[in-house]
Amino acid sequence: VQLVQSGAELRNPGASVKISCKASGYFFITYFIHWVRQAPGQGLEWMGRIDPEDGITNYAQKFQGRVTFTADTSTSTAYVELSSLRSEDTAVYYCARNINNYGMDYWGKGTLVTVSS
């Protein structure tokens, strides 16, 4: 099983960023994909999840209206897009999978997003 994320991004405040997470080694639609971020010196922050089978999403309230999760089953790739970026969005963004009530067992290596003018 692998979750391979796209590379680091640098954005200006107010811009948007879209990160990918390509899954392999398992049946993509069987597992939820979660997005979690970690700002410098901070703990992990759950952003939400998507069910790749039907595209249903659950967003953490903090990010609602500013984040969009999508999943392309033809390429087994999940995406997160975050808009109206601000400096506080500077963080490493991770994708992770889980099924049912089990924990997230596989994680991507993370994508550093830096928001700076």
Side-chain angles (χ1 to χ4, degrees):
V1 174
Q2 282 191 305
L3 298 174
V4 179
Q5 297 186 223
S6 48
E9 302 275 9
L10 174 63
R11 293 287 186 273
N12 290 325
S16 298
V17 68
K18 190 172 185 177
I19 302 166
S20 66
C21 171
K22 183 171 176 58
S24 63
Y26 72 99
F27 196 30
F28 183 57
I29 64 171
T30 305
Y31 289 75
F32 293 110
I33 292 288
H34 296 253
W35 290 94
V36 179
R37 76 179 187 180
Q38 186 170 31
Q42 304 296 314
L44 295 173
E45 181 175 34
W46 182 75
M47 300 175 67
R49 72 177 190 186
I50 183 168
D51 183 344
E53 182 172 21
D54 54 21
I56 292 178
T57 55
N58 298 102
Y59 298 119
Q61 187 172 8
K62 173 179 179 177
F63 298 100
Q64 284 188 1
R66 208 161 64 90
V67 69
T68 304
F69 300 151
T70 55
D72 183 346
T73 56
S74 69
T75 60
S76 299
T77 303
Y79 300 90
V80 56
E81 184 168 16
L82 188 61
S83 61
S84 302
L85 291 167
R86 36 205 187 232
S87 59
E88 308 91 270
D89 294 316
T90 294
V92 178
Y93 289 75
Y94 297 94
C95 60
R97 73 167 198 176
N98 99 300
I99 188 170
N100 296 330
N101 293 321
Y102 294 96
M104 300 175 210
D105 60 351
Y106 282 91
W107 292 65
K109 291 188 177 183
T111 297
L112 175 63
V113 174
T114 303
V115 183
S116 175
S117 55

